[in-house]
């Protein structure tokens, strides 16, 4: 089992940047692929980005491609989401998630463990 704690959210103006972090407990972090999702008010949780166990494979939603970068440091049991050129429509609670499956997943139902989320608000 793994526990996930996100940090780094906040209020930023449009065009600005934020870096989210997700710290994982346990000694098997490198055996999980990791994902970032977000949920805006009155909307379903949606996929943002995912990264393979080794960090060699990354995947992005079209809405964030070219602006967001996912990375991980297995020595620190941490996954990151660098968010640049932020837009008001990026406003949401951002969640990190861990998946034990070999293939990197991009849907909510495929992830096994979730953090509590961190709020990102982008003002226009």
């Amino acid at each position: 089992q793994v526990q996930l704690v996100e940090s780094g959210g906040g209020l930023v103006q449009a065009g600005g940047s934020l870096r989210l972090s997700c710290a994982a407990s346990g000694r098997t972090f490198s055996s999980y692929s990791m994902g970032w999702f977000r949920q805006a008010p009155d909307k379903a949780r949606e996929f943002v980005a995912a990264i393979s166990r080794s960090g060699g494979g990354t995947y992005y939603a079209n809405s964030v491609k070219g602006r967001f970068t996912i990375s991980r440091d297995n020595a620190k049991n941490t996954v990151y989401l660098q968010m640049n050129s932020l837009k008001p429509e990026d406003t949401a609670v951002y969640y990190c998630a861990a998946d034990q499956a070999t293939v990197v997943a991009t849907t909510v139902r495929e992830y096994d463990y979730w953090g509590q989320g961190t709020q990102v608000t982008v003002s226009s």
Side-chain angles (χ1 to χ4, degrees):
Q1 191 169 0
V2 62
Q3 293 182 324
L4 305 171
V5 179
E6 301 96 335
S7 61
L11 173 64
V12 64
Q13 288 188 332
S17 298
L18 282 175
R19 189 175 83 153
L20 305 183
S21 299
C22 174
S25 65
R27 296 174 292 177
T28 59
F29 177 70
S30 60
S31 66
Y32 295 91
S33 58
M34 300 296 296
W36 285 97
F37 291 78
R38 66 187 181 187
Q39 188 166 16
D42 300 323
K43 292 190 176 181
R45 193 169 297 189
E46 65 175 7
F47 170 74
V48 174
I51 190 166
S52 63
R53 296 172 176 180
S54 67
T58 56
Y59 308 83
Y60 298 93
N62 288 335
S63 59
V64 306
K65 200 171 293 184
R67 300 188 298 123
F68 291 10
T69 302
I70 188 171
S71 61
R72 67 188 296 163
D73 186 337
N74 285 344
K76 295 183 178 180
N77 283 11
T78 302
V79 61
Y80 305 96
L81 186 67
Q82 177 67 43
M83 305 186 295
N84 298 329
S85 302
L86 282 161
K87 305 175 181 180
E89 51 263 43
D90 294 319
T91 295
V93 177
Y94 283 70
Y95 299 89
C96 73
D99 178 20
Q100 295 179 320
T102 303
V103 177
V104 176
T106 60
T107 62
V108 171
R109 63 179 178 84
E110 294 177 279
Y111 280 80
D112 303 300
Y113 303 102
W114 292 83
Q116 83 291 347
T118 185
Q119 177 70 47
V120 171
T121 303
V122 184
S123 63
S124 57

